[in-house]
Amino acid sequence: MSESSQPQPGPEKATGSDGTGAAGTLVLCDARLADGRVVDVRLSGGRIEAVGTAGSLAPQGTRVDLGGYLLLPAPAEPHAHCDTALTADAIGPATDTLEDVQRRTTEAALLQLGHGATALRTHVRVGDVQGLRSLEAVLQASRSLRGLAEMAAVAVPRMLTGAAGADGLAMLRDAVKMGATVVGGCPDLDPDPAGYVEAVLELAAEHGCAVDLHTDGDDPARLARFAAMAGGLRPGVAIGPCAGLSALPPEVAARTAEQLAAGGVTVVCLPQGGCAALERRSGALAGSGRPAGPAGRQAPVRLLRAAGVRVAAGSGALRDAANPVGRGDPLEAAYLLASLGEAGPDAAYGTVSAAARATLGLPEVRVEAGFPAELLAVRGDSLAGVLSLAYSRIVVHRGRVVARTSAVREYCDSAAVVALELPRQSQR
């Protein structure tokens, strides 16, 4: 059964001289919006040119029939570990040659693009044995993906204080010069967490970089000091996954959340589980031998949002040592938040779309004229429905279709199906 009687372009090849492709006019027809309206949307020059009632836009350019699809602002991935992705099945330590890291990073980014994430931020270890090799591979992958997805790299040194931290600080400076646009790390693992944070914030202010730090968030005094230090830093400060906040007394957690909000600090939670950079820390703190995740603690998203904290949701580990079955699917992150009662469907999707894009410093997307043409069409008629069960997706980046997934479910003959006049085939 065809999903559409109209031409359905597959992912297009980048043809522009800059590798991003020369996107012509694309009209998305009969798309349902989250508010229930059914519209046509015309895209041109990488932006939404016009939105009108179904059938109202003049036929021009390529047309894509989105009948049966819900059209949404595209999600973004605010917390990935692409350089270590897809290594869970490796026998022994995963290889870290430049070629292998670039291949893993590219494959992981494309997997997430297929789910709808047209932009992502990936954390990359710098220093130690690998030096800047993994970062170099990630930056090469980012360049090769131009026109398909946007990728920003976070430089993650191990230690930044004391004699051992001098090399890490020098490596972090080199990483920024090489092309890392965000500075991060794991202050919880440094002998002097406050000194680590101070070093990161100073370097970020010096170079105009965003900050994105891993922390369990179980120390309210440390978070309060961090919020005070980070206040006003541009282009922004994020921390995560902050699962330890949920273990604090409610009044302490609420007060800490208010301090984070006052400092303009974003919290990036990981509903699908912990990530490799916090694996050791989480297991040691919990005394359980396993990282925090769906079976353990989660950041108190509802409490944070009530205090005015911007909360974005990321995927974290993607089939690596921290999570052997990670999917890298933004819709799954939103689904988990909704199913756990941390947010309604609309707010849950907002954590992986509007909040995630803002965390990455990207412009807002609405399905309105003038906004960037970063869109995700998902088969379904409501946001709750697509978070529950949605496989068929069409991904639009810079005004052109860059990924497409189609799924059809078929059932064998059944007397019940015949008696109830149910379809033997459904599209998901």
Side-chain angles (χ1 to χ4, degrees):
M1 181 182 295
S2 171
E3 291 189 346
S4 170
S5 60
Q6 295 290 338
Q8 297 291 296
E12 304 167 10
K13 295 182 179 179
T15 57
S17 60
D18 63 352
T20 62
T25 299
L26 181 67
V27 180
L28 309 177
C29 306
D30 295 323
R32 182 176 296 276
L33 303 184
D35 62 10
R37 289 180 295 148
V38 178
V39 300
D40 289 352
V41 181
R42 185 167 64 235
L43 315 177
S44 182
R47 305 192 76 81
I48 299 173
E49 187 176 82
V51 178
T53 56
S56 66
L57 299 185
Q60 62 183 87
T62 303
R63 298 173 68 82
V64 177
D65 187 348
L66 292 186
Y69 282 80
L70 190 69
L71 186 63
L72 302 164
E77 174 53 69
H79 191 118
H81 289 270
C82 293
D83 60 321
T84 59
L86 311 173
T87 57
D89 297 330
I91 300 175
T95 57
D96 62 355
T97 65
L98 190 147
E99 293 78 11
D100 285 342
V101 175
Q102 182 177 354
R103 176 179 46 78
R104 289 197 300 263
T105 299
T106 303
E107 185 176 355
L110 290 175
L111 282 172
Q112 296 188 70
L113 174 66
H115 291 312
T118 61
L120 68 156
R121 173 183 285 182
T122 182
H123 295 251
V124 189
R125 288 276 195 191
V126 298
D128 299 329
V129 176
Q130 71 265 41
L132 295 172
R133 185 170 57 247
S134 291
L135 178 62
E136 180 183 358
V138 168
L139 293 175
Q140 287 187 8
S142 176
R143 289 189 288 269
S144 71
L145 289 166
R146 285 185 64 193
L148 294 176
E150 308 291 337
M151 180 187 292
V154 185
V156 180
R158 186 173 294 276
M159 286 194 293
L160 291 179
T161 67
D167 288 342
L169 190 57
M171 191 69 66
L172 187 57
R173 291 185 178 278
D174 289 342
V176 172
K177 293 176 183 176
M178 181 181 287
T181 55
V182 188
V183 292
C186 310
D188 294 356
L189 301 179
D190 194 279
D192 180 7
Y196 189 109
V197 169
E198 185 175 358
V200 167
L201 292 175
E202 286 181 357
L203 191 145
E206 177 184 344
H207 293 276
C209 295
V211 171
D212 198 332
L213 293 169
H214 291 74
T215 181
D216 192 58
D218 63 333
D219 187 330
R222 186 184 301 166
L223 286 182
R225 181 176 178 184
F226 172 71
M229 295 168 62
L233 184 69
R234 295 292 180 267
V237 177
I239 58 174
C242 292
L245 273 173
S246 63
L248 299 176
E251 63 278 6
V252 176
R255 185 166 60 251
T256 304
E258 291 171 356
Q259 292 165 334
L260 293 173
V265 178
T266 295
V267 171
V268 180
C269 66
L270 301 178
Q272 298 171 81
C275 57
L278 276 181
E279 182 181 12
R280 222 176 29 166
R281 168 73 171 164
S282 299
L285 283 175
S288 63
R290 69 175 186 271
R297 297 182 311 215
Q298 290 290 338
V301 172
R302 186 175 295 276
L303 178 148
L304 288 164
R305 295 185 70 247
V309 178
R310 176 196 290 152
V311 180
S315 299
L318 174 57
R319 290 166 52 193
D320 65 13
N323 186 352
V325 293
R327 293 182 181 176
D329 185 352
L331 266 62
E332 184 179 44
Y335 155 79
L336 288 170
L337 290 180
S339 66
L340 293 171
E342 290 290 352
D346 289 349
Y349 189 75
T351 65
V352 300
S353 56
R357 286 185 60 85
T359 302
L360 272 57
L362 299 172
E364 181 184 9
V365 174
R366 298 181 192 170
V367 188
E368 299 176 13
F371 284 86
E374 303 289 321
L375 302 167
L376 171 64
V378 189
R379 182 165 285 284
D381 57 8
S382 71
L383 196 48
V386 302
L387 293 185
S388 173
L389 185 67
Y391 303 122
S392 296
R393 307 181 191 186
I394 298 174
V395 186
V396 175
H397 173 54
R398 295 187 182 179
R400 68 191 189 100
V401 175
V402 293
R404 184 184 180 93
T405 302
S406 299
V408 177
R409 177 174 290 164
E410 294 184 322
Y411 305 92
C412 65
D413 290 326
S414 165
V417 169
V418 174
L420 296 173
E421 298 183 349
L422 298 175
R424 286 188 53 208
Q425 185 182 81
S426 60
Q427 296 168 328
R428 300 295 183 188

